[in-house]
Amino acid sequence: AGIGFAIPVDEVNRIVPRLIRDGRFVRPALGVSTGPAGLNQALKVPPGVVLVDVGRGGPAERAGLQPFRRGQRGEIVPGDVITAINDQPVADLDGMLAQLERFQPGDSVTLTVWRAGQTRKQAVTLAKPD
């Protein structure tokens, strides 16, 4: 029908060897839900991935990550912003997913996490997606 699709070569180089080796591509999971891109500016937090939910029993919860949430009086209680994975900066969800695709479920990564003006490093073991 004359329809074509373009796939970036770096994505092909990252995914095709795993498809050949394993017969499928499994993206490792952190067990988090993230906020929309504009949330960083609204909350006045650094570039990165704002956590709005942390899955029960998942890698992020086991590592002690906390989501932003509403307090009892409606105030915003600070949570975590993932700013880097293994010292590679992540500015948004797409950047985080691209970084995670370099790893397999079961691999351990070091997250750089910002919360309430302080930055820390946190080791996390990635899981298989549910």
Side-chain angles (χ1 to χ4, degrees):
I3 298 173
F5 295 95
I7 300 173
V9 71
D10 58 336
E11 191 167 336
V12 171
N13 289 335
R14 194 172 58 243
I15 294 174
V16 169
R18 287 169 63 179
L19 285 172
I20 293 169
R21 183 185 69 225
D22 302 331
R24 62 190 180 124
F25 177 76
V26 177
R27 178 180 282 138
L30 271 176
V32 298
S33 295
T34 64
L39 191 55
N40 294 64
Q41 287 181 316
L43 295 172
K44 297 183 171 97
V45 299
V49 179
V50 175
L51 302 186
V52 295
D53 188 39
V54 174
R56 297 193 74 165
E61 183 184 56
R62 288 192 300 271
L65 298 183
Q66 296 290 317
F68 279 76
R69 59 186 173 79
R70 292 265 181 200
Q72 292 180 347
R73 293 170 294 198
E75 77 279 10
I76 295 176
V77 177
D80 292 328
V81 179
I82 298 172
T83 59
I85 299 175
N86 284 356
D87 295 321
Q88 297 295 311
V90 292
D92 54 26
L93 179 59
D94 287 339
M96 183 177 83
L97 294 176
Q99 288 292 330
L100 289 176
E101 286 176 356
R102 297 175 32 226
F103 302 99
Q104 299 279 341
D107 288 348
S108 183
V109 298
T110 301
L111 303 178
T112 303
V113 179
W114 180 95
R115 184 191 304 164
Q118 297 190 356
T119 301
R120 74 179 195 286
K121 300 225 182 218
Q122 182 64 53
V124 177
T125 300
L126 303 172
K128 289 183 181 178
D130 291 335

